[in-house]
Amino acid sequence: MSRSIQFERTISYDKGVPATYIRLIGPDGEDEALAVFDTGAQYCLFKGGRAPGIGISLMEGRRISLSSLGGEIVGYLHRIDIEIEGSRFKVEAVFSLNYIPREILGRHTLFEQVTWGLRESQQEIYFSPQP
């Protein structure tokens, strides 16, 4: 039996990778970031330097240690909103103390709120803001 999934939006890759610009929304500010969709990442991960600009005291979050191909990443978990293509989601995201080469949209709290699809041959991300 064949199943098909309908998606509300199509997002073109940015710079050849499955990434798009998103808005980070904190208690006292907003910031825009280019984030890569990463189905292998447990958490959304952002540069720690973004925290003060959106009204977050970085080290007041829950300390967390993540493993990556580049080694250990230490950061702090915070509840924020993110906006993707006009849809807003409440997530728990990690703000890193370490240098990170890219910011990531990971599974924890985000992927249960959306349906994603990737089509590498077309360099497109398919997106619907519901599970």
Side-chain angles (χ1 to χ4, degrees):
M1 178 202 248
S2 174
R3 292 181 77 176
S4 96
I5 299 172
Q6 300 297 316
F7 293 97
E8 290 184 21
R9 299 182 187 110
T10 301
I11 305 167
S12 295
Y13 281 23
D14 190 279
K15 300 178 177 90
V17 296
T20 193
Y21 283 93
I22 64 164
R23 183 161 305 286
L24 305 173
I25 304 162
D28 293 319
E30 300 181 1
D31 197 4
E32 188 174 75
L34 178 63
V36 176
F37 294 89
D38 188 342
T39 60
Q42 183 175 0
Y43 290 96
C44 293
L45 177 64
F46 302 106
K47 296 172 182 171
R50 292 189 186 280
I54 64 171
I56 291 174
S57 179
L58 178 64
M59 302 191 53
E60 287 182 8
R62 182 169 61 100
R63 189 176 193 279
I64 192 165
S65 180
L66 306 172
S67 296
S68 76
L69 293 175
E72 181 183 38
I73 296 172
V74 176
Y76 289 86
L77 192 64
H78 291 273
R79 289 184 180 271
I80 63 166
D81 287 354
I82 61 171
E83 185 178 295
I84 304 169
E85 293 286 308
S87 294
R88 197 165 173 162
F89 307 97
K90 293 192 178 305
V91 299
E92 289 185 325
V94 176
F95 288 83
S96 177
L97 289 178
N98 306 71
Y99 166 78
I100 55 173
R102 63 179 168 241
E103 295 175 289
I104 294 172
L105 296 174
R107 297 184 325 271
H108 178 74
T109 64
L110 176 60
F111 280 29
E112 63 196 32
Q113 300 177 68
V114 299
T115 301
W116 303 109
L118 298 174
R119 190 170 182 192
E120 185 69 24
S121 65
Q122 299 295 314
Q123 294 208 345
E124 293 177 335
I125 303 158
Y126 304 103
F127 167 73
S128 290
Q130 74 270 342

